[in-house]
Amino acid sequence: MASSHPRVLAIVLAGGEGKRLMPLTAQRAKPAVPFGGIYRLVDFALSNIINSHYLHVIVLTQYKSHSLDRHISKTWRMSSLLGNYVSSVPAQQRVGKHWYLGSADAIYQCLNIIDDERPDIVVVVGADHVYRMDFSQMVEAHVESGARATVAAIRQPIAMADQFGVIDIDPSDPTRIREFLEKPVNPVGLPDSPTEVLASMGNYVFDTDALVEAVTKDASDPDSRHDMGGDIIPAFVADGTAGVYDFIRNDVPGSTDRDRDYWRDVGTIDAYFDANKDLIAVQPVFNLYNSDWPLLTGYTGLPPAKFVHAGPGRLGHAADSIVSPGVLVSGATVAGSILSPGVHLHSWATVTDSVVMDDVQVHRHAQVHRAILDKFVVVDERARIGVDHEEDRARGFTVTPSGITVVPKGTHVA
Ligand code: ADQ
């Protein structure tokens, strides 16, 4: 049982492959996917942890982890003087000749770190969601409730239940979980709202001894998939020791009524695109400009963005858009878009409703519409992307169900 000021170790699960985000995850782990101009997805989990004043943090990585490891070590390294750290821990085959078999095995394989650290509480969070959350409020609720494991929960449409762990609360004690079904195909809606379920956010708080016991037991179970949502949480539920923390209770400093409950699982390209667009709405449902709970990331050292009027009919401008440092809009028109650092747009080019990643070049008279251009893409003079989907598919680009064209990293589009 933890004290009221527990020692906390935070673990970020960042080994996921993110198959449904292909081709953005062809060369990088999902938590390393760029988002919102200057961020990577993992920055949201890490910002929440650091803003919660948890300064002992490990990030478990595995799949195509090079750019993620580099980002963590460059951006999140802390001074060791105070004993604080954010360190990435790649799969190391510590307990056998295999990589992490699942998220629970990832934790099992780093029990040596938990042993060295001796925390009272372990906070385990996913690395691929966009939201603000004060984990210290969840830890407080966990300690008060007496649960051994607590799952953060949010209401989601029942149609999405097969993507989430779905929680059934004990009616006699609304802080307890009666049943937990990982990605159910026949979900039952909530009694007060049949079109919704209570979904796990993939964030957990554990008493350390209970977590160690659970992952150790799980490691020797030949029938387990070694998954936190699929195996570990259901085991706590079976023991009657699993609690729930409703995200609606979380009150992050500086949040607005509009963005207090914002949480997005950007599991698909369409969800990723929509979450990017959420940032630029006139009244954004997720407000980046909350300095009471800053979203932290690496700084590029690039010069400020610049807009130049390159001659008659060539007024370089952007509306309803996010424009990062190092961007040059020279006689081009931008609307409803997110431009990452180093993007360069030339005269008469138009970029509308698009996400454009670092160092992309769009040459004269080119058109880009409802598209995601990965890093280092070059769009030739007069080339078109997102204007004719048949043409896009013929060039091998992904076109999503809602009609977003995705151009892979480094592609030269003629
Ligand atoms: P999913 O997101 O589908 O569901 P998973 O693919 O295991 O579950 O990813 C969870 C987190 O663990 C991600 O951040 C991922 O990067 C990481 N991860 C996956 N495999 C890993 C491994 N081998 N090593 C290290 N990290 C790994 C989960 C829960 C659901 C919940 C949703 C919320 O299982 O119950 O509803 O998250 O989105």
Side-chain angles (χ1 to χ4, degrees), residues 12-17 20 30-31 60-62 100-103 106 125-129 163-166 180-183 199-202 204 227-230 263 265:
V12 181
L13 296 169
E17 196 172 332
R20 291 176 304 150
K30 183 174 167 189
L60 305 184
T61 67
Q62 134 166 288
Y100 296 149
L101 299 175
S103 48
V125 308
D128 33 27
H129 301 109
Q163 299 173 34
F164 297 121
V166 171
F180 185 95
L181 295 173
E182 181 71 356
K183 301 176 185 160
S200 160
M201 298 165 71
Y204 318 104
D227 184 57
M228 293 302 289
W263 178 83
D265 176 16

Side-chain angles (χ1 to χ4, degrees), residues 34 52 66 76 95 99 102 181 206 233 253 282 337 362 372 394:
S52 303
H66 173 66
W76 288 94
V95 292
W99 300 118
L181 295 173
F206 296 97
I233 297 303
V282 179
S337 296
V362 181
I372 299 172

Side-chain angles (χ1 to χ4, degrees), residues 359-372:
D359 298 311
V360 165
Q361 297 267 334
V362 181
H363 289 288
R364 290 179 164 211
H365 296 286
Q367 289 176 59
V368 178
H369 181 60
R370 284 178 51 79
I372 299 172

Side-chain angles (χ1 to χ4, degrees), residues 47-239:
S47 297
N48 288 330
I49 290 169
I50 300 299
N51 288 331
S52 303
H53 300 292
Y54 296 145
L55 303 177
H56 292 193
V57 187
I58 56 176
V59 183
L60 305 184
T61 67
Q62 134 166 288
Y63 171 83
K64 292 183 179 160
S65 60
H66 173 66
S67 62
L68 181 58
D69 289 337
R70 199 184 43 198
H71 176 69
I72 306 264
S73 60
K74 259 176 56 183
T75 303
W76 288 94
R77 188 176 19 175
M78 285 197 237
S79 161
S80 57
L81 289 178
L82 297 172
N84 300 326
Y85 58 87
V86 176
S87 58
S88 88
V89 181
Q92 303 169 67
Q93 304 196 344
R94 290 186 59 85
V95 292
K97 291 263 173 261
H98 56 75
W99 300 118
Y100 296 149
L101 299 175
S103 48
D105 184 51
I107 294 179
Y108 177 65
Q109 290 206 38
C110 71
L111 284 185
N112 62 310
I113 299 174
I114 296 179
D115 211 33
D116 292 348
E117 186 70 28
R118 297 180 185 280
D120 301 306
I121 294 281
V122 182
V123 173
V124 177
V125 308
D128 33 27
H129 301 109
V130 178
Y131 65 120
R132 280 193 176 84
M133 180 166 178
D134 182 349
F135 294 120
S136 71
Q137 294 175 29
M138 181 175 169
V139 166
E140 214 171 284
H142 168 84
V143 171
E144 263 169 33
S145 77
R148 305 277 277 155
T150 298
V151 181
I154 186 170
R155 288 177 178 228
Q156 292 288 292
I158 195 165
M160 294 170 73
D162 62 354
Q163 299 173 34
F164 297 121
V166 171
I167 294 167
D168 184 22
I169 288 179
D170 185 343
S172 64
D173 179 357
T175 68
R176 291 293 155 136
I177 302 179
R178 181 168 66 173
E179 188 175 34
F180 185 95
L181 295 173
E182 181 71 356
K183 301 176 185 160
V185 278
N186 292 314
V188 178
L190 289 167
D192 66 346
S193 176
T195 59
E196 291 182 306
V197 292
L198 191 60
S200 160
M201 298 165 71
N203 295 338
Y204 318 104
V205 174
F206 296 97
D207 289 357
T208 304
D209 53 349
L211 175 65
V212 171
E213 198 182 299
V215 295
T216 305
K217 194 166 166 207
D218 174 79
S220 61
D221 178 353
D223 299 325
S224 173
R225 283 153 299 162
H226 311 293
D227 184 57
M228 293 302 289
D231 304 286
I232 300 297
I233 297 303
F236 279 96
V237 173
D239 280 355

Side-chain angles (χ1 to χ4, degrees), residues 8-50:
V8 173
L9 172 71
I11 298 181
V12 181
L13 296 169
E17 196 172 332
K19 280 201 195 98
R20 291 176 304 150
L21 273 188
M22 286 291 270
L24 302 179
T25 46
Q27 295 182 41
R28 54 171 89 85
K30 183 174 167 189
V33 170
F35 183 85
I38 59 171
Y39 307 96
R40 301 220 183 213
L41 285 177
V42 72
D43 291 331
F44 294 89
L46 286 171
S47 297
N48 288 330
I49 290 169
I50 300 299

